Amino acid sequence: MMTDHYPLNWDLDVLYPEPSTAEFAAVFDAFRADIQKVAEASDQLPPVSGAAEGVTVWVEFFQNFEDISSRAHELHSFIGCHCAADAENKCYQQFEASLSALMPYQQRMATNLEFALKDATDAEFEAFLAAAPQLADSAFFFGEARRHAALRLPKPQETLFADLSVDGLHAWGRLYDRISGELRVEVMHKGNVVRKSPGQIRLDAPLREVRENNFFAATKAWDSIAGSCADALNHIAGTRLTLYDHLGLEDHLVVPLHENRMQRETLDAMWSAIDARKEVLVTYLQKKAGALGLEKPAWYDLTTAYPTNVTAKDVTYDAAVQKIVETFARFSPDLGEFAELACAGGWIEAEDRGGKRQGGFCTGFERHKQSRIFMTFTNSEDALSTLAHELGHAYHSWVLKDQPVMLQDYPMNLAETASTFAEAIVAEQRLAGTDSRDEKIAILDSMLGDAVAFLMNIHARFQFENEMHLQRKQGELSPEQLNNLMLAAQRQAYCDALADDGWNPNFWASKLHFYISELPFYNFPYTFGYLLSLGVYKLSQDSGGDFPKQYREFLIATGCMSAENAVRSTFGYDLTQPDFWNKSLDVVEQRAQQFLDLIAAT
């Protein structure tokens, strides 16, 4: 049964004590002592084989490794949540840095484990897995760890790199988080200049003058820290390129492809299919610009609504939650019950206030079998979609909560499938639930806006990041050079569909995804997940009532299979071929055609 009022703030205290307390200091000190012990034990691991004595040592170590890994993840998530909700809190920032300083111990454990697995013969590895059920249950994890050893430097160098990364690679990521979290945009509000966080600046205002002013105010703010952002980006990319060179890797895409458990053929097939079918989105943007009285749209016109007789209404947080819960439940009672549990249980930080970091995320607490969602709810349909998106992430973790600890982790591209699938459920239900032509136009406009974001905006990010890495090999890039790279990437990805003065060259500075030091090329998995979710949703429409069960099986497979095998084993498609991607793009074209037919009839 749904509640009448849902909390706007999350409850973190049920997970761990508040970071400023002595109780949390004790938790942190215990973790620090334990992670050091487990790291030291990893130095003494016996060779991988089926020998009973060695297997006993490995089983004990692996239990401790699972325990310390889950504790590390939870503490990173916990402190990350506090930092996101209170971006200028020095205590939280200090713990964030302290946790980062312990990362070399995690690297040390992983390195020792991976090298031990790498040194074993295939026969020894198979005997090792067969020697104990605790090892056999996590066979996929051990196989992935063995393959990942190929991306490691020799052990002494790997250890040194991990130590240096605390004040090097990851410090640059933390610097960006700090300066972007402290950044304020000065805008006019009721005759006064007010200072807002970047996440509070909206570019979807009905009045073009308002969104134009907001855009240029934000641009001015980001320009003021562009030099520091360029430093961070240069050194994050430069560190990675140096590492890749020492590893002898083919290029800068080897690691992100490995991290996403996907093949290069899959990535190429996806982008090729997208490139061949963007024309319908160009037509959509042209028609929308015409309705707005423009020859071509500018960047700040892309997210504003297509003009209709539908009056944009504020969507309260309670109404948004109720809509999501009801819609999820129509697809799957299990999904609906989960959404109610998360929203009523204090899992979500949604309040619209200053001092929060920009963006949104979902992070898991596997030991507590809970998640936490961070966002800024702006009383809009867009915010409703964001909430559905993040709840999709949380449901993914919920489905995996009873799997072995090391099989609850899944790559980002498959994570984005679950989240965008949740968005699709809400959007399609909204479309089917109205007979109003104007409402249908508004809903389809929102859907096509998402398509532009995933198939054009993120494509621009990928092209920028790819070219930036290529040019970074020759030396550091200035803010002006980065602006030029971003402008060229946007022109190509958007098929030159925007006005000559309507681009966003300093987008590289404001997009935090470029600065995540733990994961390279953070952007393309969103497009992968978007298209995969569209294809999966189409399959759900064509299948019988057992699809929710099949969907759960797919989510479980994401923790213990490659991206290609997870899809092939549950849905029967080969992602290295264009068939599935074109099936997904058919959905985009159908939506676009429905939109064009409706506006032609008005």
Side-chain angles (χ1 to χ4, degrees):
M1 182 177 179
M2 288 190 292
T3 61
D4 293 328
H5 298 287
Y6 295 89
L8 279 167
N9 303 109
W10 52 22
D11 184 355
L12 299 178
D13 293 342
V14 298
L15 301 171
Y16 293 97
E18 211 280 336
S20 62
T21 64
E23 289 81 4
F24 183 79
V27 170
F28 185 84
D29 289 342
F31 168 73
R32 178 165 48 200
D34 288 345
I35 196 172
Q36 291 173 355
K37 289 178 183 178
V38 179
E40 289 168 0
S42 73
D43 293 335
Q44 307 301 322
L45 285 171
V48 168
S49 72
E53 184 177 348
V55 167
T56 299
V57 174
W58 267 97
V59 168
E60 181 182 358
F61 167 76
F62 187 57
Q63 289 172 338
N64 292 332
F65 178 75
E66 287 183 312
D67 175 73
I68 207 69
S69 296
S70 62
R71 286 164 66 187
H73 181 258
E74 287 213 347
L75 288 174
H76 277 280
S77 294
F78 182 70
I79 292 299
C81 286
H82 276 289
C83 286
D86 187 359
E88 297 184 31
N89 188 294
K90 301 302 180 184
C91 173
Y92 302 157
Q93 292 175 12
Q94 184 176 0
F95 271 115
E96 192 173 41
S98 297
L99 279 169
S100 182
L102 296 178
M103 287 179 66
Y105 290 110
Q106 290 179 266
Q107 291 280 0
R108 180 174 163 188
M109 289 184 288
T111 299
N112 286 329
L113 181 148
E114 289 173 11
F115 274 100
L117 294 167
K118 179 185 178 183
D119 291 341
T121 66
D122 290 346
E124 288 170 334
F125 181 64
E126 293 301 324
F128 167 79
L129 294 178
Q134 299 96 321
L135 305 178
D137 288 345
S138 297
F140 178 78
F141 164 78
F142 286 113
E144 286 294 290
R146 196 175 186 216
R147 285 185 285 275
H148 192 262
L151 302 179
R152 295 280 191 187
L153 295 165
K155 189 179 293 186
Q157 295 178 28
E158 188 71 27
T159 302
L160 177 62
F161 178 77
D163 288 340
L164 292 175
S165 291
V166 174
D167 291 309
L169 175 66
H170 302 308
W172 289 109
R174 293 198 308 276
L175 172 68
Y176 177 82
D177 286 342
R178 180 178 63 78
I179 61 176
S180 62
E182 294 173 354
L183 187 67
R184 294 294 179 267
V185 180
E186 294 186 349
V187 294
M188 291 294 296
H189 180 69
K190 296 182 178 179
N192 296 311
V193 175
V194 297
R195 302 175 75 243
K196 293 188 175 184
S197 301
Q200 294 179 291
I201 302 300
R202 295 176 59 178
L203 298 180
D204 58 354
L207 290 177
R208 193 169 198 251
E209 180 182 86
V210 172
R211 58 181 186 267
E212 181 181 37
N213 285 334
N214 284 350
F215 173 78
F216 283 108
T219 297
K220 180 180 179 181
W222 285 109
D223 279 343
S224 72
I225 61 169
S228 296
C229 292
D231 287 340
L233 191 60
N234 270 296
H235 296 311
I236 289 172
T239 302
R240 287 176 177 151
L241 288 169
T242 300
L243 174 62
Y244 300 162
D245 184 57
H246 281 273
L247 289 170
L249 300 185
E250 177 184 349
D251 61 20
H252 49 270
L253 290 175
V254 171
V255 172
L257 287 168
H258 175 85
E259 294 288 348
N260 284 282
R261 300 181 195 160
M262 64 185 288
Q263 301 172 29
R264 192 178 297 259
E265 292 81 2
T266 296
L267 183 65
D268 291 343
M270 181 186 79
W271 286 133
S272 294
I274 291 169
D275 262 333
R277 300 184 65 178
K278 282 185 179 177
E279 189 58 38
V280 68
L281 292 179
V282 173
T283 301
Y284 156 72
L285 290 174
Q286 290 172 341
K287 295 294 185 181
K288 185 170 182 175
L292 294 170
L294 307 169
E295 183 177 348
K296 284 186 173 183
W299 187 272
Y300 47 84
D301 298 315
L302 293 174
T303 56
T304 194
Y306 184 91
T308 67
N309 291 324
V310 175
T311 303
K313 297 179 181 178
D314 280 355
V315 181
T316 67
Y317 183 68
D318 286 342
V321 170
Q322 291 172 0
K323 181 69 173 178
I324 289 169
V325 171
E326 290 171 355
T327 304
F328 281 2
R330 291 192 192 100
F331 168 74
S332 163
D334 180 60
L335 180 56
E337 290 170 6
F338 167 77
E340 172 68 19
L341 169 70
C343 294
W347 290 20
I348 303 169
E349 171 57 50
E351 185 179 11
D352 185 358
R353 67 173 189 277
K356 295 171 69 170
R357 286 182 179 172
Q358 60 176 325
F361 62 79
C362 175
T363 189
F365 293 84
E366 57 268 27
R367 298 170 71 86
H368 292 81
K369 298 188 177 183
Q370 295 185 16
S371 295
R372 289 297 183 269
I373 290 169
F374 176 81
M375 64 173 297
T376 298
F377 193 84
T378 55
N379 287 7
S380 65
E381 291 288 355
D382 183 60
L384 184 154
S385 293
T386 298
L387 179 58
H389 179 100
E390 301 301 344
L391 283 167
H393 281 305
Y395 180 68
H396 196 167
S397 297
W398 179 257
V399 168
L400 287 164
K401 69 183 186 301
D402 296 322
Q403 297 299 109
V405 171
M406 305 312 291
L407 301 187
Q408 293 183 37
D409 190 27
Y410 42 85
M412 182 184 165
N413 53 347
L414 294 175
E416 292 308 319
T417 301
S419 54
T420 48
F421 180 78
E423 280 190 84
I425 293 173
V426 172
E428 291 288 350
Q429 285 289 340
R430 286 181 61 214
L431 185 62
T434 180
D435 293 324
S436 166
R437 177 188 295 166
D438 278 355
E439 286 186 9
K440 285 184 181 293
I441 289 173
I443 295 168
L444 287 165
D445 177 44
S446 177
M447 288 178 167
L448 293 172
D450 288 342
V452 169
F454 287 114
L455 306 182
M456 291 178 154
N457 185 297
I458 292 178
H459 201 181
R461 299 185 212 174
F462 176 80
Q463 291 169 333
F464 164 81
E465 202 163 9
N466 189 57
E467 186 62 27
M468 184 268 292
H469 277 80
L470 291 173
Q471 293 199 21
R472 179 62 180 84
K473 291 179 180 180
Q474 310 306 318
E476 293 184 22
L477 301 169
S478 68
E480 292 74 22
Q481 289 174 302
L482 293 169
N483 281 353
N484 290 335
L485 289 181
M486 179 55 76
L487 179 59
Q490 288 174 358
R491 285 187 178 278
Q492 183 178 353
Y494 282 84
C495 305
D496 234 0
L498 304 190
D500 288 341
D501 60 350
W503 303 94
N504 187 8
N506 77 350
F507 184 57
W508 60 269
S510 64
K511 185 45 62 178
L512 63 87
H513 294 162
F514 294 132
Y515 301 86
I516 297 174
S517 59
E518 292 84 0
L519 290 173
F521 274 76
Y522 198 84
N523 291 292
F524 73 78
Y526 285 102
T527 299
F528 180 102
Y530 170 72
L531 286 181
L532 185 54
S533 70
L534 288 186
V536 170
Y537 187 80
K538 184 65 168 64
L539 292 174
S540 74
Q541 293 179 311
D542 298 339
S543 68
D546 63 342
F547 187 83
K549 179 182 177 182
Q550 188 180 11
Y551 180 61
R552 283 180 61 94
E553 291 172 351
F554 163 69
L555 295 183
I556 291 172
T558 63
C560 60
M561 294 184 186
S562 68
E564 290 82 8
N565 286 342
V567 172
R568 186 183 295 111
S569 66
T570 52
F571 300 124
Y573 282 90
D574 181 357
L575 296 184
T576 67
Q577 300 301 311
D579 298 4
F580 185 86
W581 303 116
N582 279 316
K583 184 181 185 69
S584 301
L585 290 164
D586 286 343
V587 177
V588 176
E589 285 201 357
Q590 289 163 7
R591 291 174 176 176
Q593 192 56 56
Q594 187 178 359
F595 173 84
L596 295 173
D597 290 344
L598 285 168
I599 64 172
T602 56

